[in-house]
Amino acid sequence: QEIRNDPGAWYLTDGLCYEFLRVATHLRVFPSPLTAAQALNFLDALMAWPSVSLLHAGPGHWRMLRRVLESLHAPAGDLLYDVRTATLMREHGARRIYTADTDFLQFDDIEVVNPLRRG
């Protein structure tokens, strides 16, 4: 799938959706977490928006993964979860991510926008 040049387009990955399910239902994160059904209903509603698409790995994904890994200094552990997202972004031509996760600053070709920072 090709990235649309529409500034209102938003993209998710299945990994990000699962991470949302993990966090939104976690009792140690929220005093009253969502149930799995509530969290999935939220994702269903989000995916129903015409401006939201899900990025999938294509036939060149593993070659792109190798290039991403080679561009980093000793990638390992939890960073590899972010490597997956960055690889999908590169594969589909996405260059901006909205996240508070500073690990994404390690990817030279990705613009990181922290939605929690003002200004």
Side-chain angles (χ1 to χ4, degrees):
Q1 131 191 20
E2 197 64 28
I3 292 290
R4 299 184 304 241
N5 286 329
D6 177 359
W10 287 84
Y11 298 93
L12 299 171
T13 68
D14 57 348
L16 293 173
C17 291
Y18 275 97
E19 183 67 8
F20 168 77
L21 292 171
R22 183 187 75 77
V23 172
T25 61
H26 204 297
L27 189 56
R28 291 187 190 159
V29 175
F30 296 107
S32 298
L34 298 178
T35 66
Q38 289 170 325
L40 192 56
N41 286 342
F42 175 84
L43 287 174
D44 284 342
L46 190 62
M47 298 286 192
W49 293 359
S51 59
V52 175
S53 298
L54 196 61
L55 299 181
H56 298 281
H61 185 79
W62 294 107
R63 284 187 302 281
M64 182 66 70
L65 172 61
R66 181 170 301 282
R67 286 196 295 254
V68 171
L69 290 174
E70 289 170 350
S71 73
L72 298 170
H73 174 71
D78 290 342
L79 180 63
L80 291 176
Y81 178 83
D82 297 332
V83 163
R84 181 176 185 274
T85 300
T87 301
L88 282 165
M89 290 176 65
R90 278 188 185 180
E91 184 177 359
H92 293 281
R95 298 292 180 245
R96 180 181 302 138
I97 188 167
Y98 291 86
T99 182
D101 185 342
T102 57
D103 283 342
F104 281 95
L105 296 171
Q106 296 179 55
F107 304 101
D108 294 339
D109 61 340
I110 294 177
E111 175 191 358
V112 179
V113 178
N114 186 338
L116 304 178
R117 191 176 309 168
R118 294 179 184 251

